[in-house]
């Protein structure tokens, strides 16, 4: 997606006639179904005029220009990209990050400076670091920038233009720690417009930008690189995702906190709030890998056995020592770890004690305090709207209050960029609004926004669509609300077809994934912790407890009778009798509590898909309501 694609001459003309901002506003509304924020419109007015003057003065009149170009499968957008050929007729493109900054101050972070943001001084990425990430990310995942046997890759470069900025001899942006960054992705200030023009001319002097523009505009996202990279010699993954913007800020803040803790014996809690697909697990795994590589004592803890066991399986048995659970620290020595990374921290429970906990292993502390005490730096990745059962108390406010009680220094972050659902933050917002989780501006879903969301007529059709995607090399799984019983395997290890949906049009029978404590399983039936990744998992339906924390290219969701929309009753209602989950149909929780958990459950299930989500509703009125919220 981009808000503008055209020739450099047309761009210069539209800017000179004050038409370019209107074009961007119109394109923005058409795509997002909402108006851009006033501060974004102001930045377009100020920055685009400046960069268009650079193009004109440098004689870049036969080139392609993209404005507000969305990085594939994220919600991040490039400010400007100009493309063409160099003197040797090699295809070239340059990303230009546009900044309105007028001052910057030094920061302790390795990639950060301090500047005014949102009315206050904040740590932000150095412009060279930010635009360098964009370049690396596009080079990794965009087909136009990857060579094939038939075509050469478009060479990609990056720079930043701070058109209101005047550099000083001791400028924070020019500190020695940024030398390599600036060499790779130069920065230009108000007085360097001619130098920026020369930089662009050197790479684009051959002009003829339209064919290059068309290739970039028609490019597609390549199958994403594996999320996980094995630690040291046992890491089996070839590459990792590139951290962008706020993700890198969180990463750097944790590394800084570790360094400070080692030098000054301090304790820090890093609280990171982010919705589905904002890259929480990506950051967590980056941190684990790099901390272990630096010989820092670090653990990666979750509250999900499926997720933890899957990580251990992916990384090999030697990883068991650092992939752990939230309830593993009830009797641990305080500060025995340098870092504990708590992924899916909303699943933290009130206590680590269960009926299976031996008396000598029981703790008198709340689980949140155990995690804060065991490490010098505790990192919590939280989404308040992913708590799906009673007893999960790991809300942002609860964890912050626990850190305050213990006198731990707190660092707070919020992740906004969307890396799932084809980078469509609008889909997440629409889902929140439609499910009644929170009111947003995205009332109607526009199918043209790039994410493949479809309501289907039967679960059989749903599975056929998923199988078509698998045949094309995509990952895909079927999940459902916990509305059917969950039986033990048969004596021969085969699973019972518990999910039964019978109508006049079809008969659908499928098993759940294997139970966690299932004994013998038939060949080809994966244990519950491997359902999300093992080939045999495609033959079973996953529930919230096995799907949460995972992602697939495509997900199929069966919405059962536990959550229903009833206009006569004022909207969404929890049908606790329609649930087979003892945590939901328990009389000890109220219908209001059950409604909150069920809404969150279906939001989690419907946001497991990176590129698409197909949904079947067992209830006709609920289906009709969802359809009424789609264009």
């Amino acid at each position: 997606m981009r808000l503008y694609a055209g020739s450099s001459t047309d761009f210069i003309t539209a800017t000179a006639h004050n038409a370019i901002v209107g074009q961007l506003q119109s394109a923005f509304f058409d795509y997002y179904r909402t108006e851009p924020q006033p501060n974004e419109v102001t930045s377009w007015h100020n920055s685009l005029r400046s960069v268009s003057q650079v193009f004109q003065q440098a004689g870049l009149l036969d080139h392609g220009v993209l404005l507000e170009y969305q990085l594939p499968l994220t919600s991040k957008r490039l400010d400007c990209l100009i493309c063409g050929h160099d003197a040797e007729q090699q295809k070239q493109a340059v990303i230009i990050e546009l900044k309105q900054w007028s001052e910057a101050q030094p920061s302790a972070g390795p990639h950060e400076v301090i500047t005014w943001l949102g009315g206050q001084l904040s740590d932000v990425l150095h412009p060279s670091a930010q635009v360098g990430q964009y370049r690396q990310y596009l080079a990794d995942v965009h087909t136009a920038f990857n060579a094939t046997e038939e075509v050469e890759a478009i060479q990609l470069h990056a720079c930043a233009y701070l058109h209101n900025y005047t550099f000083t001899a001791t400028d924070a942006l020019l500190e020695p720690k940024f030398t390599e960054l600036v060499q790779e992705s130069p920065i230009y200030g108000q007085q360097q417009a001619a130098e920026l023009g020369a930089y662009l001319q050197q790479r684009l002097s051959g002009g003829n930008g339209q064919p290059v523009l068309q290739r970039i505009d028609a490019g597609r996202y390549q199958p994403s690189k594996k999320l996980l990279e094995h630690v040291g010699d046992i890491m089996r993954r070839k590459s990792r995702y590139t951290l962008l913007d706020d993700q890198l800020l969180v990463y750097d803040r944790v590394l800084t906190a570790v360094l400070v803790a080692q030098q000054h014996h301090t304790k820090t809690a890093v609280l990171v709030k982010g919705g589905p697909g904002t890259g929480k697990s990506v950051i967590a795994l980056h941190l684990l890998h790099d901390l272990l590589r630096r010989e820092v004592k670090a653990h990666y803890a979750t509250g999900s056995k499926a997720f933890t066991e899957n990580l251990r399986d992916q990384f090999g048995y030697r990883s068991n020592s650092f992939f752990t659970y939230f309830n593993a620290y009830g009797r641990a020595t305080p500060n025995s770890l340098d870092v504990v990374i708590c992924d899916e921290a909303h699943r933290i429970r009130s206590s680590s004690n269960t009926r299976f906990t031996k008396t000598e292993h029981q703790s008198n502390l709340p689980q949140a305090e155990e995690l804060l005490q065991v490490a010098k730096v505790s990192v919590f990745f939280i989404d308040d709207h992913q708590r799906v059962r009673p007893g999960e108390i790991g809300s942002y406010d609860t964890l912050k209050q626990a850190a305050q009680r213990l006198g731990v220094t707190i660092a707070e972050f919020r992740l906004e960029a969307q890396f799932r659902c084809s980078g469509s933050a609008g889909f997440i917002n629409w889902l929140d609004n439609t499910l009644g989780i929170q009111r947003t501006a995205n009332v109607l879903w526009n199918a043209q926004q790039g994410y493949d969301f479809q309501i289907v007529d039967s679960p059989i059709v749903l599975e056929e669509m998923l199988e078509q995607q698998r045949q094309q090399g995509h990952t895909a799984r079927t999940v459902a609300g916990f509305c059917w019983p969950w039986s033990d395997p048969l004596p021969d290890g085969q699973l019972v077809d518990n999910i039964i949906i019978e109508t006049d049009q079809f008969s659908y029978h499928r098993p759940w994934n294997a139970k966690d404590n299932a004994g013998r399983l038939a060949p080809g039936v994966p244990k519950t912790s491997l359902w999300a990744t093992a080939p045999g998992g495609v033959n079973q339906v996953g529930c919230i407890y096995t799907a949460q924390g995972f992602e697939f290219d495509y997900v199929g969701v069966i919405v059962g009778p536990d959550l229903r929309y009833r206009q006569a009753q004022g909207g969404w209602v929890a049908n606790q009798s329609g649930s087979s989950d003892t945590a939901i149909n328990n009389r000890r929780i109220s219908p209001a509590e059950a409604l909150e958990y069920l809404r969150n459950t279906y939001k989690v299930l419907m946001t497991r898909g990176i590129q698409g989500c197909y949904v079947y509703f067992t209830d006709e009125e609920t289906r009709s309501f969802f359809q009424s919220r789609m264009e």
Side-chain angles (χ1 to χ4, degrees):
M1 192 283 298
R2 76 291 190 275
L3 298 186
Y4 176 89
S7 71
S8 52
T9 298
D10 290 345
F11 166 63
I12 292 167
T13 301
T15 305
H17 290 85
N18 295 317
I20 192 66
V21 173
Q23 293 178 27
L24 292 176
Q25 286 178 292
S26 178
F28 189 99
F29 184 84
D30 287 344
Y31 188 79
Y32 293 107
R33 288 297 188 267
T34 187
E35 296 290 347
Q37 292 296 314
N39 61 338
E40 187 164 23
V41 175
T42 300
S43 71
W44 290 340
H45 275 290
N46 296 337
S47 297
L48 295 180
R49 178 175 293 275
S50 296
V51 78
S52 73
Q53 291 171 351
V54 171
F55 293 169
Q56 186 171 26
Q57 292 166 6
L60 301 173
L61 307 178
D62 183 29
H63 298 74
V65 174
L66 288 169
L67 301 178
E68 299 298 326
Y69 180 76
Q70 185 171 323
L71 295 175
L73 294 190
T74 84
S75 56
K76 288 294 181 182
R77 286 180 275 128
L78 305 180
D79 292 332
C80 178
L81 182 147
I82 183 169
C83 57
H85 292 77
D86 62 15
E88 305 299 325
Q89 291 304 302
Q90 298 293 313
K91 293 178 175 64
Q92 306 281 342
V94 181
I95 302 168
I96 307 174
E97 176 68 21
L98 302 173
K99 297 290 188 189
Q100 299 185 81
W101 297 3
S102 57
E103 63 174 304
Q105 301 175 18
S107 167
H111 300 99
E112 287 77 34
V113 292
I114 296 173
T115 193
W116 287 97
L117 188 68
Q120 63 181 7
L121 288 172
S122 303
D123 268 328
V124 297
L125 287 179
H126 188 287
S128 294
Q130 182 181 359
V131 76
Q133 294 166 30
Y134 293 166
R135 185 204 65 78
Q136 185 63 58
Y137 186 83
L138 265 187
D140 282 342
V141 305
H142 195 293
T143 54
F145 305 105
N146 287 277
T148 67
E149 293 181 0
E150 294 79 21
V151 293
E152 293 182 353
I154 298 171
Q155 298 302 307
L156 188 59
H157 312 273
C159 64
Y161 184 31
L162 289 67
H163 51 86
N164 294 329
Y165 200 96
T166 300
F167 290 103
T168 64
T170 58
D171 203 286
L173 293 174
L174 302 178
E175 285 189 284
K177 66 180 179 180
F178 298 131
T179 299
E180 186 174 344
L181 280 175
V182 173
Q183 287 175 346
E184 292 177 353
S185 304
I187 52 175
Y188 299 94
Q190 188 177 45
Q191 311 300 321
Q192 285 84 42
E195 286 88 340
L196 172 57
Y199 173 84
L200 297 174
Q201 263 289 348
Q202 183 181 2
R203 289 152 180 80
L204 301 167
S205 60
N208 190 24
Q210 284 302 314
V212 185
L213 175 66
Q214 291 169 7
R215 184 173 162 194
I216 296 173
D217 209 19
R220 60 181 176 80
Y221 179 79
Q222 294 185 133
S224 61
K225 296 177 181 292
K226 298 295 184 180
L227 171 64
L228 307 174
E229 181 184 57
H230 212 299
V231 178
D233 293 336
I234 64 170
M235 284 288 187
R236 296 185 284 109
R237 300 303 181 194
K238 294 182 179 179
S239 59
R240 297 177 295 161
Y241 286 88
T242 301
L243 297 183
L244 299 176
D245 286 2
D246 293 342
Q247 294 179 333
L248 187 55
L249 288 176
V250 173
Y251 173 92
D252 284 341
R253 183 63 179 88
V254 173
L255 294 188
T256 300
V258 171
L259 181 62
V260 172
Q262 291 174 336
Q263 294 177 344
H264 303 290
H265 307 291
T266 58
K267 286 180 70 71
T268 302
V270 182
L271 305 179
V272 186
K273 180 184 290 187
T278 51
K280 300 184 294 295
S281 295
V282 174
I283 305 170
L285 288 163
H286 267 269
L287 284 169
L288 180 67
H289 172 267
D290 291 346
L291 290 168
L292 292 176
R293 189 164 54 86
R294 298 178 185 210
E295 299 184 359
V296 172
K297 290 183 291 184
H299 278 187
Y300 186 118
T302 81
S304 166
K305 183 170 185 180
F307 192 49
T308 300
E309 292 301 313
N310 200 277
L311 289 170
R312 290 175 173 179
D313 181 74
Q314 296 260 1
F315 291 142
Y317 73 95
R318 290 172 61 189
S319 67
N320 291 13
S321 60
F322 48 79
F323 285 120
T324 63
Y325 297 94
F326 294 150
N327 62 1
Y329 305 103
R331 307 290 291 180
T333 303
N335 298 325
S336 54
L337 293 176
D338 295 313
V339 183
V340 60
I341 302 164
C342 301
D343 202 0
E344 304 272 328
H346 37 268
R347 302 195 68 176
I348 288 173
R349 304 183 72 81
S350 55
S351 172
S352 294
N353 301 329
T354 71
R355 67 180 188 275
F356 303 111
T357 306
K358 295 181 179 179
T359 303
E360 63 269 25
H361 293 157
Q362 291 184 355
S363 168
N364 296 323
L365 291 175
Q367 194 172 85
E369 292 190 14
E370 294 171 2
L371 293 163
L372 286 162
Q373 286 198 2
V374 73
K376 300 166 188 173
V377 178
S378 303
V379 187
F380 299 98
F381 293 94
I382 314 155
D383 180 1
D384 286 348
H385 297 309
Q386 287 201 50
R387 289 184 294 146
V388 297
R389 66 186 306 172
E392 294 178 350
I393 55 88
S395 70
Y396 193 88
D397 290 341
T398 298
L399 294 172
K400 184 175 180 179
Q401 291 165 9
Q404 290 172 334
R405 284 197 304 272
L406 296 179
V408 177
T409 301
I410 299 171
E412 302 178 72
F413 294 89
R414 185 181 184 90
L415 300 173
E416 300 284 0
Q418 180 54 230
F419 294 82
R420 201 179 291 159
C421 304
S422 288
S424 177
F427 176 75
I428 305 294
N429 293 335
W430 171 75
L431 203 56
D432 277 339
N433 198 73
T434 304
L435 288 170
I437 292 173
Q438 59 182 346
R439 184 168 294 179
T440 70
N442 301 79
V443 177
L444 294 178
W445 172 245
N446 176 9
Q448 302 303 315
Q449 292 191 38
Y451 186 62
D452 186 9
F453 178 82
Q454 299 183 48
I455 296 175
V456 301
D457 294 330
S458 79
I460 296 173
V461 172
L462 182 148
E463 290 193 349
E464 289 172 348
M465 293 170 68
L466 294 180
E467 181 57 29
Q468 290 174 4
Q469 297 297 346
R470 281 193 287 268
Q471 292 296 325
Q472 297 178 35
H474 297 295
T475 58
R477 288 291 188 276
T478 305
V479 298
F482 199 166
C483 302
W484 295 268
W486 193 4
S487 301
D488 291 325
L490 297 170
D492 63 357
Q494 296 291 344
L495 302 179
V496 178
D497 284 344
N498 286 128
I499 303 172
I500 300 174
I501 305 174
E502 300 274 4
T503 73
D504 292 338
Q505 290 75 37
F506 64 84
S507 176
Y508 179 82
H509 293 218
R510 291 292 183 276
W512 289 112
N513 57 260
K515 277 190 172 184
D516 180 46
N517 58 355
R520 172 173 171 259
L521 294 173
V525 177
K527 61 181 183 179
T528 183
S529 59
L530 302 182
W531 164 84
T533 54
V538 302
N539 300 315
Q540 300 103 42
V541 177
C543 71
I544 181 64
Y545 303 120
T546 46
Q548 189 171 22
F550 294 99
E551 62 181 24
F552 317 100
D553 293 333
Y554 291 85
V555 67
V557 182
I558 299 173
V559 179
D562 53 351
L563 181 66
R564 302 187 296 194
Y565 187 86
R566 292 292 182 265
Q567 186 173 1
Q569 295 177 250
W572 289 104
V573 294
N575 176 30
Q576 290 172 266
S577 63
S579 174
S580 292
D581 188 346
T582 55
I584 298 298
N585 58 29
N586 193 317
R587 293 182 180 179
R588 289 178 293 179
I589 71 167
S590 68
E593 290 176 301
L595 179 59
E596 177 188 355
Y597 296 133
L598 290 170
R599 283 168 162 167
N600 289 349
T601 292
Y602 282 110
K603 176 183 177 180
V604 170
L605 295 179
M606 291 187 195
T607 54
R608 298 304 91 192
I610 299 174
Q611 300 182 51
C613 173
Y614 309 138
V615 183
Y616 169 74
F617 293 90
T618 60
D619 180 74
E620 186 58 36
E621 185 175 348
T622 307
R623 171 196 172 105
S624 297
F625 172 70
F626 247 77
Q627 286 181 321
S628 74
R629 294 303 182 96
M630 299 172 66
E631 291 188 355

Short mmCIF file of all heavy atoms in Angstrom, two decimals, residues 40 163 348:
data_model
loop_
_atom_site.label_atom_id
_atom_site.label_comp_id
_atom_site.label_asym_id
_atom_site.label_seq_id
_atom_site.Cartn_x
_atom_site.Cartn_y
_atom_site.Cartn_z
N GLU A 40 -0.02 14.72 11.29
CA GLU A 40 0.52 14.07 10.11
C GLU A 40 0.32 14.95 8.88
O GLU A 40 1.22 15.06 8.03
CB GLU A 40 -0.14 12.71 9.91
CG GLU A 40 0.47 11.89 8.79
CD GLU A 40 0.10 10.42 8.84
OE1 GLU A 40 -0.94 10.09 9.43
OE2 GLU A 40 0.87 9.60 8.28
N HIS A 163 15.00 18.80 7.50
CA HIS A 163 15.00 20.06 6.75
C HIS A 163 14.91 21.30 7.63
O HIS A 163 15.06 22.42 7.13
CB HIS A 163 13.86 20.05 5.72
CG HIS A 163 12.53 19.68 6.30
ND1 HIS A 163 11.69 20.59 6.87
CD2 HIS A 163 11.91 18.48 6.37
CE1 HIS A 163 10.59 19.97 7.27
NE2 HIS A 163 10.70 18.68 6.98
N ILE A 348 0.03 -14.11 33.68
CA ILE A 348 0.52 -14.26 35.05
C ILE A 348 -0.66 -14.45 35.98
O ILE A 348 -1.69 -13.78 35.87
CB ILE A 348 1.35 -13.02 35.46
CG1 ILE A 348 2.69 -13.02 34.70
CG2 ILE A 348 1.57 -12.97 36.96
CD1 ILE A 348 3.51 -11.77 34.90
#
